[in-house]
Amino acid sequence: GESVGLHLPTLSVQEGDNSIINCAYSNSASDYFIWYKQESGKGPQFIIDIRSNMDKRQGQRVTVLLNKTVKHLSLQIAATQPGDSAVYFCAENNNDYKLSFGAGTTVTVRA
Amino acid sequence: SQTIHQWPATLVQPVGSPLSLECTVEGTSNPNLYWYRQAAGRGLQLLFYSVGIGQISSEVPQNLSASRPQDRQFILSSKKLLLSDSGFYLCAWVPFSGAEAFFGQGTRLTVV
């Protein structure tokens, strides 16, 4: 089965508010984590990544937090916009050839 | 720059017919290549991956097979499609182990 999962399958957020998407992983050997955004009918697009030697990384309007103690990963989106509506996946890589994906969280932005 | 091409974008095939989906990568050499399947409203299931020409690893026993006849070409095939093969098929490449994956635009397969 999948080794990476998500706490909530859907998230509805008011435009302008911050979004937090959570992900749990089970493989303590994983050393690289990625968040992807998938719009309807398209392939996943890279958002941000983080290595296991870090606990926080920031991008443009996005922040990824990694808590290795509880094997938890989160993606924070600041000032959520309508264009942020999509399915978000976390993925992990334990330095083998396979990238394992969680089930995804559907984010819907309310105007 | 590197690009990944996947075709066709949509495909409707009858049960029992064969399948061939092709994926090619440009601008890189010796990439790791992957086929994923995504059922409606679900996550990505890894089907096959390849770390070199002629090398295929299968993750899930199924009605599908994969081949890598050239360094930057990855093909997903089936001799006889089942209804359960319907889904969104994604090809991806990774420059090296431990790096991010880059995805193609996907093929929407409907088996009728």
Side-chain angles (χ1 to χ4, degrees):
Chain A
E2 293 177 287
S3 63
V4 180
L6 288 163
H7 292 317
L8 293 173
T10 61
L11 175 67
S12 179
V13 60
Q14 185 69 38
E15 181 179 356
D17 288 352
N18 297 334
S19 303
I20 299 177
I21 307 167
N22 296 304
C23 182
Y25 64 95
S26 58
N27 189 344
S28 57
S30 294
D31 61 359
Y32 180 55
F33 303 88
I34 311 166
W35 280 100
Y36 286 90
K37 173 186 180 182
Q38 186 180 26
E39 297 176 340
S40 180
K42 297 183 179 179
Q45 296 292 313
F46 171 88
I47 300 174
I48 192 168
D49 60 0
I50 189 168
R51 301 257 172 215
S52 59
N53 60 351
M54 303 172 67
D55 53 21
K56 181 179 180 179
R57 191 164 188 219
Q58 289 184 293
Q60 187 177 13
R61 282 201 308 118
V62 294
T63 301
V64 55
L65 299 177
L66 176 63
N67 186 330
K68 295 181 287 295
T69 302
V70 296
K71 290 186 279 190
H72 182 269
L73 189 70
S74 68
L75 177 71
Q76 300 177 4
I77 305 173
T80 310
Q81 303 170 357
D84 295 326
S85 293
V87 180
Y88 290 81
F89 293 96
C90 61
E92 65 172 324
N93 188 299
N94 61 358
N95 213 29
D96 66 4
Y97 297 108
K98 296 178 286 186
L99 197 60
S100 300
F101 285 80
T105 292
T106 300
V107 173
T108 303
V109 180
R110 306 188 307 271
Chain B
S1 63
Q2 302 90 355
T3 57
I4 181 169
H5 301 280
Q6 186 182 342
W7 68 94
T10 60
L11 190 60
V12 179
Q13 291 284 102
V15 170
S17 64
L19 173 73
S20 181
L21 301 181
E22 188 165 344
C23 173
T24 60
V25 182
E26 296 179 356
T28 187
S29 59
N30 198 32
N32 295 338
L33 296 172
Y34 301 79
W35 278 110
Y36 286 87
R37 176 169 60 198
Q38 186 176 29
R42 305 293 292 274
L44 280 71
Q45 179 187 34
L46 179 61
L47 302 176
F48 301 95
Y49 67 94
S50 171
V51 299
I53 296 174
Q55 189 282 330
I56 306 294
S57 296
S58 175
E59 286 296 294
V60 181
Q62 59 212 319
N63 186 40
L64 302 168
S65 62
S67 61
R68 185 170 178 174
Q70 301 180 42
D71 181 42
R72 290 169 289 176
Q73 184 184 31
F74 204 24
I75 297 172
L76 183 69
S77 304
S78 174
K79 292 182 178 178
K80 289 184 178 182
L81 283 169
L82 306 172
L83 287 173
S84 58
D85 292 324
S86 294
F88 191 47
Y89 289 83
L90 289 156
C91 180
W93 74 277
V94 175
F96 53 87
S97 179
E100 69 187 83
F102 299 90
F103 286 86
Q105 287 302 296
T107 296
R108 175 77 58 193
L109 172 66
T110 304
V111 183
V112 296

